[in-house]
Amino acid sequence: MSELYIVGTPIGNLGDITYRALETLRAVDVVASEDTRHTMELLTHFEIRKPMISCRAQNEKFAAEKIIELLNEGKSVAYTSDAGEPGISDPGAVLTLEVRRAGHKVVPIPGPSAFATLVSVAGAGGKTLVFEGFLSPKPGRRRSRLRELMEMDAAVVVYESPFRVVKLLSDIAEIDPDRRIVVGRELTKMHEEINDGKASEILADYSSRSKVLGEFAIFISSNKNVKLLNEDSDN
């Protein structure tokens, strides 16, 4: 039975790719990807040449049918998103489900993710962590969901683009200006930046910048964790 390999790829630093990921990409018959141009750069860097097909969010179900046809022919396929783990705020979930339903094995080849990278340095604390991914770009929906998340006794990780990150930080600070947050910008890349502090302080920092660039992952400490920190500071 042919297999589909879900391959995690670097989120910025190409040195983070795993040996197993490279072995897999070299061994398969076809590489499917969210953006063939992006993945081609990765493959070229490591001197890997393979036939490629596109599998984007906009055509994922259709592409899944094509990939299943390849698997039915006895060919092995690797799937990569643009960066990080497919299926985590990236395409891949529909493909995985359809291929498994078709009777083929789906094999995870784990790699980096912005979520895990930020949590590893956030000093999370507590047992519960919620990954929300990208919030709604609509201000009302975004603020409403943030309020729900920030009332939970769980830390939360969200993603945001450079175009809306100041608006998101403003929403967080409006809800709870003293809430501890950790902002990871351009994680693993040359201009990586990790800012830790109160929401109001982080907002002031980014609001003062003439231009905000890069991709963002944001850790929001839990409501319970904030209470515990306040109790410790009072003692």
Side-chain angles (χ1 to χ4, degrees), residues 182-211:
V182 182
V183 177
R185 183 181 73 86
E186 292 288 86
L187 291 171
T188 80
K189 300 176 184 178
M190 181 181 297
H191 300 293
E192 176 183 84
E193 181 181 35
I194 298 173
N195 285 343
D196 184 338
K198 293 181 179 180
S200 57
E201 297 169 343
I202 302 296
L203 171 62
D205 179 0
Y206 281 98
S207 296
S208 67
R209 302 186 186 193
S210 59
K211 182 178 287 188

Side-chain angles (χ1 to χ4, degrees), residues 4 8 11 17 34 37 72 92 128 139 154 158 190 199 202 207-208 213:
L4 170 67
I11 60 175
I17 197 163
E34 178 183 3
R37 295 166 300 179
N72 288 340
T128 307
V158 297
M190 181 181 297
I202 302 296
S207 296
S208 67
L213 301 174

Side-chain angles (χ1 to χ4, degrees), residues 72-137:
N72 288 340
E73 294 171 4
K75 295 180 179 179
S76 56
V77 181
Y79 179 70
T80 67
S81 57
D82 284 353
E85 291 282 0
I88 302 180
S89 285
D90 272 337
V94 172
L95 171 63
T96 298
L97 180 61
E98 293 297 322
V99 167
R100 189 176 288 113
R101 282 177 173 174
H104 294 282
K105 186 176 181 180
V106 180
V107 181
I109 309 295
S113 73
F115 166 71
T117 300
L118 180 63
V119 172
S120 73
V121 296
K127 296 182 179 179
T128 307
L129 182 64
V130 174
F131 175 65
E132 186 72 8
F134 287 94
L135 293 165
S136 173

Side-chain angles (χ1 to χ4, degrees), residues 118-195:
L118 180 63
V119 172
S120 73
V121 296
K127 296 182 179 179
T128 307
L129 182 64
V130 174
F131 175 65
E132 186 72 8
F134 287 94
L135 293 165
S136 173
K138 297 183 178 180
R141 291 185 182 180
R142 183 178 63 244
R143 284 192 289 268
S144 177
R145 182 55 179 158
L146 267 176
R147 289 184 187 280
E148 294 175 355
L149 293 168
M150 291 174 66
E151 283 299 316
M152 299 169 58
D153 289 333
V156 179
V157 174
V158 297
Y159 289 167
E160 193 51 274
S161 74
F163 310 107
R164 291 194 299 269
V165 70
V166 173
K167 294 178 181 178
L168 173 62
L169 293 173
S170 179
D171 291 339
I172 296 172
E174 180 181 334
I175 295 168
D176 186 350
D178 292 329
R179 183 69 62 98
R180 175 180 174 255
I181 64 174
V182 182
V183 177
R185 183 181 73 86
E186 292 288 86
L187 291 171
T188 80
K189 300 176 184 178
M190 181 181 297
H191 300 293
E192 176 183 84
E193 181 181 35
I194 298 173
N195 285 343

